[in-house]
Amino acid sequence: MDLLPCVLINGPLIVLNILANLFYIFCMVCPHGRERIKQPLKLLLWTLICCTLIYLMSVILMFFSGMSDNVNFAAYLLGVYTLSSSLNASVWLNFFYYTQIVPAQRAVFIWIKRNIKAIIYCILLADRVFSLFDFTVMTLTRHTLDGFNRNFTTHRNVTLISSTSSFETKLYHAYDICSIMIMAQSLFCLCVMVGSSGATVIYLHRHIRRMIASGTPCPRLRSQMRVTITGIIQGVIYLLCAVFSLVHLFSLKNSNSYFSECILHTVITLYMSGTTVNLGVGQAIFRRRAADVWLKAAQCGKVLL
């Protein structure tokens, strides 16, 4: 299979995304001035950045390794695990900003806003547990089926085949449960993303109209609009990536065509690119550090010239 067209399409974007996310890690470790990020925003950013970076590196390993099937399968599992974590982290980052921008009026939303830190922690922990379960089922399914095929070919032992088939059936059931849970989780996250983005847009639209009518300035309006715009963009690209991934997973799972796989990787890479740009635009800690680096580079350029 010729990987050159897929590499030429995704390669430059993957490299740029890796460099950008490494820069974000530098900003988090060495913030500009006395800037500090509070929890749970810090945890969400670390999860999103690190999972995106690991996913991109796993794609490079799959494309360029040329290693054994086990290494490629491990890279595939790592990519699936980190992609799911990256997608979910972007959802709850959007939801977190919704709770910070839109005033809570009902009792349930007041409770969510007061306990947002604990809620985010619990959600991310549950996501890790589910991903670990999915990771384990996929690994056992692969090795059990490989072992069953070898034993069937070598020994032709009816008792061995019967006992193995029983365990294989249980694994198939567990795999089906994982597929249903992935579908349910994806639909739930999609509803949270669309709902939080839509509610934030509606609130800011009404808020701006009230400010204009009363002539009252709002010092935080600019930052809120920036976060809202990046949230809308994130919601759109998340919707496209999630829908396409689900269609590919459940409708085209029996198709191993190179074209469909290349399209899937391209869609995910474009999603990662949009997410990376949104982080740079939406987070003040990244913008200020980038401006500081640019200013120092310009000063060094003037000295050298």
Side-chain angles (χ1 to χ4, degrees), residues 124-135:
L124 293 181
L125 177 61
D127 178 64
R128 298 290 83 75
V129 172
F130 169 69
S131 298
L132 182 61
F133 172 68
D134 187 30
F135 185 93

Side-chain angles (χ1 to χ4, degrees), residues 109-122:
F109 292 110
I110 294 174
W111 179 84
I112 289 175
K113 190 167 186 176
R114 288 177 179 175
N115 300 276
I116 187 62
K117 185 185 294 186
I119 291 173
I120 295 295
Y121 289 161
C122 292

Side-chain angles (χ1 to χ4, degrees), residues 91-159:
V91 171
W92 298 112
L93 180 63
N94 221 43
F95 180 77
F96 171 75
Y97 279 124
Y98 156 76
T99 61
Q100 302 305 299
I101 295 175
V102 180
Q105 296 180 349
R106 298 185 179 182
V108 61
F109 292 110
I110 294 174
W111 179 84
I112 289 175
K113 190 167 186 176
R114 288 177 179 175
N115 300 276
I116 187 62
K117 185 185 294 186
I119 291 173
I120 295 295
Y121 289 161
C122 292
I123 288 173
L124 293 181
L125 177 61
D127 178 64
R128 298 290 83 75
V129 172
F130 169 69
S131 298
L132 182 61
F133 172 68
D134 187 30
F135 185 93
T136 303
V137 169
M138 292 181 68
T139 303
L140 288 176
T141 301
R142 172 184 170 86
H143 287 289
T144 300
L145 290 180
D146 287 347
F148 171 74
N149 290 332
R150 286 194 299 269
N151 290 327
F152 179 79
T153 303
T154 305
H155 301 289
R156 308 280 182 174
N157 189 303
V158 177
T159 304

